[in-house]
């Protein structure tokens, strides 16, 4: 299944009627707008029963799940689940109305319908309708039938999706796109994403899951066209996860109580538990920390003012002096500047770069005996390169590397004779989706990876400092923001990185609680030959932050 295809992929849409939900509409739109796939067939279900008698409805109504049905209808209907008419580009698509043969919970297609579908030479089918599909229809398209499961199949089977994660206080919600097989809950996983669970809002959580996973079929299509689809040959997934069903009345009541509690905690933390970041520096080798389980001794750099914090720390040399460069954030001005401080003299920090807009994450890169900085400038939608002026002790603007992009935590490194830029994006959820660009030279031009986003995982996507070489392998620190923003750092080993593919594996973690119970977060690590710097977080009350959050919430309430 890894043979490249030099044409548009042809696909069919399986649905119960000629209406789609908004998220399904978006999935198809991504495919059509890409120019690499075209819809050629709508497969509808002629046994989609709608006109059930009132008496039968009353007798068969699941009264033990009455509250859930009412809640789902009145409170949890999201924009992504709203029904929408067929888009114009589908109205002229051929329609095949199929009569399925039901055997228990399974549905089989007639030989005649299967033959008609095979005749159209379809590459894949998107399942947006029908029930449990079995039989020869599974092989009617070259790459089979693709189906979503908006949960992690290793933990949750059945449904409703997103519900049990909140009920069980699970911080992560998986989503898979799978190729269906004859066995139930044993498809071939084609793509798998991991998102943060929005514990305080079921409506927001389910809407985000649907919205943020609509590109999965498009990514599989790109892999097919780029000859990177070996995963079709994998064995079907094996899971022993329990099967969940719609909650009964008492369970939903408990769920609503938990949801209310989570919402109160969410607002309480925003108002009264502000982030306090500070920098720790150690002389222990990084290998001993992440692989040999040796606890380093840190010397800490803390801001003098309560309304400030120091975060996003990196190391560089200026005129032979080792310095730490970092984000100096002020809650009063609600913006950060880039400052530095010598590692052997924790005096007043010196500002190295300041703009009218917020600056953060001053990533340091050395090339041709020059020191460069790429600060986060997502507020003005650009990635820009700055060069260290050792005479004036500041970083001076050189050029814009990528324009019109709301990049967060841009990280530059060399790999396989290319310069690679990794970052997340504000408009794509900030913490979950990792994007990559590459160039043959530092100055660019930078070309987008052929299958962005290259990774979607709240536990290990967003960059968290300087990639480093160890024993010939390249390791990439990434933020784990599953529990909360910047809760720990994941260390990933890059296994494959080309313009078409990306794969890395988790090898270790840096956990702040390992060093002290008072630390609850860490999200940047940088290494040099002599030092390691890591930023640490704890929560506490900061009056200026309270004022900012209270004003923001008040304005939001007034605008409704």
């Amino acid at each position: 299944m890894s043979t490249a295809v030099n044409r548009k992929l042809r696909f069919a849409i399986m649905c119960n009627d000629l209406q789609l939900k908004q998220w399904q509409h978006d999935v198809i739109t991504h495919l059509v707008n890409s120019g690499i796939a075209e819809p050629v067939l709508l497969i509808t279900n002629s046994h989609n029963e709608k006109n059930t008698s009132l008496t039968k409805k009353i007798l068969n109504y699941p009264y033990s799940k009455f509250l859930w049905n009412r809640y789902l209808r009145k409170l949890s209907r999201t924009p992504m689940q709203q029904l929408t008419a067929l888009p114009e580009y589908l109205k002229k698509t051929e329609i095949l109305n199929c009569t399925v043969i039901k055997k228990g919970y399974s549905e089989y297609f007639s030989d005649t319908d299967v033959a008609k579908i095979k005749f159209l030479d379809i590459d894949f089918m998107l399942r947006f309708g029908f029930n449990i599909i079995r039989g020869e229809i599974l092989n009617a398209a070259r790459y089979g039938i693709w189906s979503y499961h908006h949960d992690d199949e290793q933990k949750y089977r059945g449904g409703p999706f997103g519900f049990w994660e909140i009920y069980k206080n699970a911080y992560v919600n998986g989503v898979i796109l799978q190729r269906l097989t004859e066995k139930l809950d044993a498809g071939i996983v084609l793509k798998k994403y991991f998102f943060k669970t929005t514990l305080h809002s079921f409506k927001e959580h389910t809407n985000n899951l649907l919205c943020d996973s609509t590109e999965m079929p498009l990514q599989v299509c790109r892999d097919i066209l780029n000859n990177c689809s070996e995963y079709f040959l994998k064995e079907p997934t094996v899971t022993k996860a329990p099967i969940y069903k719609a909650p009964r009345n008492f369970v939903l009541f408990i769920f609503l109580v938990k949801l209310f509690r989570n919402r109160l905690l969410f607002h309480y933390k925003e108002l009264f538990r502000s982030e306090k970041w500070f920098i720790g520096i150690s002389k222990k080798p990084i290998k001993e920390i992440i692989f040999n389980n040796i606890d380093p001794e840190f010397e800490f750099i803390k801001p003098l003012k309560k309304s400030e914090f120091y975060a996003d720390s990196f190391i560089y040399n200026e005129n032979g002096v080792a310095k730490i460069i970092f984000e100096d954030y002020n809650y009063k001005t609600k913006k950060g500047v880039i400052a530095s401080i010598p590692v052997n003299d924790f005096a007043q920090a010196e500002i190295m770069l300041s703009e009218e807009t917020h600056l953060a994450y001053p990533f340091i890169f050395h090339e041709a005996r020059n020191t460069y900085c790429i600060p986060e400038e997502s507020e003005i939608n650009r990635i820009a390169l700055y060069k260290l002026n050792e005479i004036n002790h500041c970083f001076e603007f050189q050029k814009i590397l990528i324009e019109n992009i709301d990049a967060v935590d841009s990280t530059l490194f060399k790999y396989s004779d290319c310069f690679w830029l990794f970052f997340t994006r504000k408009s794509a959820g900030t913490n979950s989706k990792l994007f990559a660009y590459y160039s043959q030279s530092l100055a660019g031009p930078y070309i987008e990876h052929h299958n962005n986003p290259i990774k979607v995982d709240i536990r290990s996507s967003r960059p968290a400092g300087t990639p480093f070489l160890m024993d010939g392998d390249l390791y990439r620190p990434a933020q784990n923001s599953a529990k909360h923003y910047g809760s720990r750092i994941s260390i990933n080993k890059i296994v494959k990185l080309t313009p078409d593919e990306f794969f890395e594996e988790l090898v270790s973690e840096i956990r702040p609680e390992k060093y002290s119970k008072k630390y609850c977060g860490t999200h940047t690590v940088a290494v040099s030959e002599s030092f390691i710097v890591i930023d640490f977080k704890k929560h506490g009350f900061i009056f200026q932050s309270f004022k900012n959050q209270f004003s923001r919430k008040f304005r939001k309430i007034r605008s409704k």
Side-chain angles (χ1 to χ4, degrees):
M1 284 294 183
S2 61
T3 303
V5 178
N6 296 315
R7 57 174 174 78
K8 277 190 179 183
L9 296 173
R10 296 161 56 84
F11 69 95
I13 302 155
M14 306 178 74
C15 49
N16 289 329
D17 49 40
L18 295 180
Q19 280 189 315
L20 297 169
K21 293 181 178 179
Q22 184 61 50
W23 72 271
Q24 297 165 345
H25 174 281
D26 290 352
V27 168
I28 300 167
T29 300
H30 284 313
L31 291 167
V32 172
N33 289 346
S34 72
I36 65 174
E38 58 180 346
V40 296
L41 181 65
L42 283 169
I43 303 172
T44 59
N45 190 350
S46 64
H47 276 181
N48 185 29
E49 297 181 4
K50 292 183 178 181
N51 299 319
T52 306
S53 68
L54 179 61
T55 302
K56 192 172 182 180
K57 286 182 179 179
I58 294 173
L59 291 175
N60 294 333
Y61 189 85
Y63 292 98
S64 63
K65 299 174 181 178
F66 170 79
L67 290 180
W68 166 251
N69 291 331
R70 299 302 300 174
Y71 177 73
L72 190 64
R73 179 176 297 181
K74 297 294 183 181
L75 299 179
S76 66
R77 184 67 63 184
T78 68
M80 285 290 111
Q81 290 177 304
Q82 295 297 315
L83 290 176
T84 180
L86 287 180
E88 289 297 323
Y89 55 77
L90 284 182
K91 290 183 178 179
K92 295 181 180 180
T93 303
E94 182 179 347
I95 298 173
L96 178 62
N97 193 16
C98 297
T99 301
V100 295
I101 303 165
K102 294 190 175 184
K103 295 181 180 179
Y105 292 104
S106 301
E107 295 181 340
Y108 294 81
F109 284 66
S110 69
D111 293 341
T112 302
D113 288 336
V114 171
K116 290 178 181 178
I117 295 170
K118 286 184 175 181
F119 179 76
L120 292 174
D121 190 30
I122 291 171
D123 288 292
F124 65 94
M125 292 184 275
L126 291 174
R127 176 184 172 271
F128 292 147
F130 296 86
N131 291 314
I132 300 172
I133 301 171
R134 287 196 167 101
E136 186 58 26
I137 186 65
L138 296 172
N139 302 312
R142 187 172 289 104
Y143 295 95
I145 298 175
W146 302 353
S147 178
Y148 275 91
H149 179 59
H150 289 89
D151 283 302
D152 184 348
E153 88 288 357
Q154 295 299 322
K155 295 183 178 181
Y156 303 92
R157 290 188 289 167
F161 75 92
F163 177 91
W164 296 104
E165 284 84 353
I166 295 176
Y167 187 84
K168 294 178 176 293
N169 203 41
Y171 297 121
V172 178
N173 197 135
V175 177
I176 66 170
L177 181 71
Q178 60 185 331
R179 176 178 179 171
L180 297 180
T181 66
E182 283 285 350
K183 292 184 178 180
L184 182 63
D185 298 324
I188 298 172
V189 176
L190 307 178
K191 291 291 175 183
K192 191 168 188 176
Y193 290 176
F194 293 94
F195 298 102
K196 180 178 175 60
T197 306
T198 307
L199 294 170
H200 63 277
S201 174
F202 180 63
K203 183 175 182 178
E204 180 181 337
H205 180 54
T206 53
N207 194 71
N208 288 343
L209 289 177
L210 295 172
C211 179
D212 291 340
S213 59
T214 54
E215 291 182 331
M216 296 175 93
L218 173 58
Q219 288 203 300
V220 177
C221 289
R222 289 174 181 158
D223 283 342
I224 292 172
L225 295 174
N226 293 328
N227 198 21
C228 303
S229 56
E230 293 86 356
Y231 44 75
F232 276 94
L233 302 175
K234 292 191 307 184
E235 291 295 320
T237 185
V238 177
T239 176
K240 295 182 180 179
I243 299 175
Y244 292 91
K245 297 181 180 179
R248 294 177 178 270
N249 295 332
F250 181 71
V251 173
L252 181 65
F253 173 76
I254 298 298
F255 173 81
L256 294 175
V257 171
K258 290 183 176 183
L259 209 59
F260 180 71
R261 177 203 62 188
N262 292 345
R263 184 170 288 275
L264 289 178
L265 284 173
F266 172 77
H267 291 296
Y268 168 78
K269 289 178 179 178
E270 283 202 324
L271 289 169
F272 300 103
R273 304 293 293 171
S274 302
E275 294 181 349
K276 295 182 176 182
W277 290 94
F278 48 97
I279 298 166
I281 180 170
S282 172
K283 293 184 179 181
K284 287 286 186 182
I286 188 68
K287 186 174 183 177
E288 292 189 8
I289 294 178
I290 63 176
F291 292 117
N292 297 339
N293 207 30
I294 295 176
D295 295 339
E297 293 182 359
F298 284 101
E299 191 173 1
F300 292 102
I301 307 170
K302 301 180 181 180
L304 298 177
K305 298 178 181 179
K306 290 184 178 180
S307 61
E308 292 182 328
F309 66 63
Y310 292 168
D312 294 346
S313 47
F314 295 88
I315 306 175
Y316 73 103
N317 280 281
E318 183 181 349
N319 294 320
V321 178
K323 289 189 173 183
I324 300 173
I325 188 168
F326 54 91
E327 172 198 352
D328 181 351
Y329 183 83
N330 190 313
Y331 279 108
K332 289 184 178 179
T333 61
K334 292 189 285 187
K335 77 167 192 172
V337 298
I338 304 305
S340 73
I341 199 166
V343 297
N344 57 1
D345 182 12
F346 298 165
Q348 184 71 28
E350 179 183 12
I351 295 177
M352 301 293 290
L353 184 62
S354 179
E355 302 286 353
E356 293 183 1
T357 54
H358 172 69
L359 298 175
Y361 197 82
F363 182 81
I364 292 293
F365 186 81
H366 302 282
E367 177 68 9
R369 297 185 179 182
N370 292 313
T371 300
Y372 297 94
C373 180
I374 305 176
E376 180 195 315
E377 297 182 283
S378 58
E379 287 190 3
I380 54 176
N381 292 320
R382 75 179 192 183
I383 302 175
L385 185 70
Y386 293 77
K387 183 179 177 181
L388 176 64
N389 184 324
E390 294 189 358
I391 298 176
N392 297 329
H393 303 289
C394 65
F395 282 93
E396 298 176 342
F397 174 81
Q398 295 295 293
K399 68 171 299 183
I400 296 174
L401 299 181
I402 305 178
E403 291 185 284
N404 301 318
I405 194 161
D406 54 349
V408 175
D409 294 353
S410 299
T411 299
L412 180 72
F413 60 95
K414 273 181 124 174
Y415 186 85
S416 297
D417 298 322
C418 278
F419 290 88
W420 288 90
L421 265 172
F422 278 21
F423 52 85
T424 56
R425 297 187 62 179
K426 273 190 175 182
S427 57
T430 303
N431 294 321
S432 295
K433 296 186 176 183
L434 179 65
F435 295 81
Y437 282 66
Y438 65 95
S439 173
Q440 296 298 318
S441 69
L442 174 61
Y446 282 84
I447 303 168
E448 185 175 5
H449 191 278
H450 301 167
N451 206 1
N452 270 335
I454 59 174
K455 185 176 187 179
V456 182
D457 192 337
I458 187 66
R459 305 166 303 175
S460 59
S461 285
R462 183 170 173 174
T466 310
F468 55 90
L469 281 169
M470 192 165 57
D471 299 331
D473 293 316
L474 182 62
Y475 293 85
R476 187 185 74 89
Q479 295 184 30
N480 183 334
S481 296
K483 186 176 181 180
H484 54 76
Y485 168 63
S487 60
R488 61 183 61 169
I489 295 174
S490 299
I491 305 296
N492 306 299
K493 182 171 76 173
I494 293 180
V495 177
K496 181 180 289 187
L497 176 57
T498 71
D500 297 323
E501 294 182 275
F502 173 72
F503 178 72
E504 63 182 7
E505 56 187 17
L506 177 68
V507 296
S508 184
E509 285 187 320
I510 298 176
R511 302 186 179 193
E513 64 272 14
K514 183 179 178 182
Y515 308 115
S516 174
K517 291 183 179 180
K518 67 181 180 181
Y519 307 142
C520 64
T522 176
H523 73 351
T524 310
V525 57
V527 300
S528 70
E529 293 181 358
S530 305
F531 301 100
I532 302 170
V533 291
I534 302 177
D535 59 3
F536 291 92
K537 177 177 73 170
K538 57 184 180 179
H539 288 121
F541 179 76
I542 299 175
F543 180 69
Q544 190 61 51
S545 175
F546 168 81
K547 285 178 59 178
N548 296 342
Q549 291 290 347
F550 185 84
S551 298
R552 181 181 64 83
K553 291 177 183 294
F554 183 73
R555 289 194 301 270
K556 189 175 181 179
I557 292 172
R558 287 191 62 182
S559 65
K560 289 184 178 179

